[in-house]
Amino acid sequence: MSANHDQQMYYDFDLLSKLVVGIGEVADITGVPTRKIRYWEDKGIVRSVQEADGSTRRYDYLNIKKIVLVQELLEDGYTLDAAARKVEDRMKNINDIFQKIADKQNTPQP
DNA sequence: GTTCTCACA
DNA sequence: TGTGAGAA
């Protein structure tokens, strides 16, 4: 990983933005049971997207990431609400930072 | 395989 | 904070 950071990153974003998987696969990969994922969704901690035809839950990479992060915080002794708040704050901060970077690139200084 | 609800710890 | 069971 040296000469083509840009191209490598492009493929990563392209893959991640298209990554939408069903609840069963999320459960298998993350180790969080489907039952628990639905429970979190009922509490408003994660959100699933649904296809027009099917009624099954599907999760994009941001929500999968959320599931993993919340799970880690729970293992560290956080309550569910505290873990959810912390994850939400961290993801918002990251989003804000990249937003600033994007803004800076769109308005070059003279 | 998925969904929901009710009950239980 | 989660799980089990039953039914669709």
Side-chain angles (χ1 to χ4, degrees):
Chain A
M1 109 179 37
S2 55
N4 45 10
H5 266 89
D6 289 345
Q7 205 163 42
Q8 194 69 32
M9 292 300 284
Y10 169 77
Y11 285 126
D12 279 345
F13 285 132
D14 192 45
L15 172 68
L16 289 176
S17 63
K18 288 178 178 174
L19 216 182
V20 186
V21 305
I23 188 174
E25 198 167 355
V26 175
D28 285 342
I29 295 172
T30 63
V32 181
T34 62
R35 195 68 178 73
K36 194 185 281 191
I37 296 174
R38 290 193 207 99
Y39 176 68
W40 290 358
E41 183 163 1
D42 288 342
K43 306 279 286 186
I45 292 166
V46 296
R47 186 171 53 183
S48 63
V49 300
Q50 295 198 343
E51 298 277 309
D53 45 338
S55 64
T56 71
R57 294 171 170 84
R58 319 186 76 234
Y59 296 88
D60 60 17
Y61 93 100
L62 279 176
N63 284 279
I64 297 172
K65 193 168 178 177
K66 220 178 205 174
I67 291 170
V68 174
L69 291 174
V70 168
Q71 165 78 344
E72 288 178 356
L73 290 182
L74 286 180
E75 287 169 354
D76 283 351
Y78 284 76
T79 67
L80 185 56
D81 286 324
R85 278 196 303 270
K86 200 175 186 72
V87 168
E88 205 68 42
D89 285 349
R90 292 178 67 187
M91 290 179 64
K92 181 185 183 308
N93 276 329
I94 292 173
N95 220 35
D96 289 348
I97 286 173
F98 276 99
Q99 186 61 53
K100 287 179 184 175
I101 293 173
D103 289 347
K104 206 160 208 172
Q105 284 185 341
N106 288 335
T107 60
Q109 323 292 340

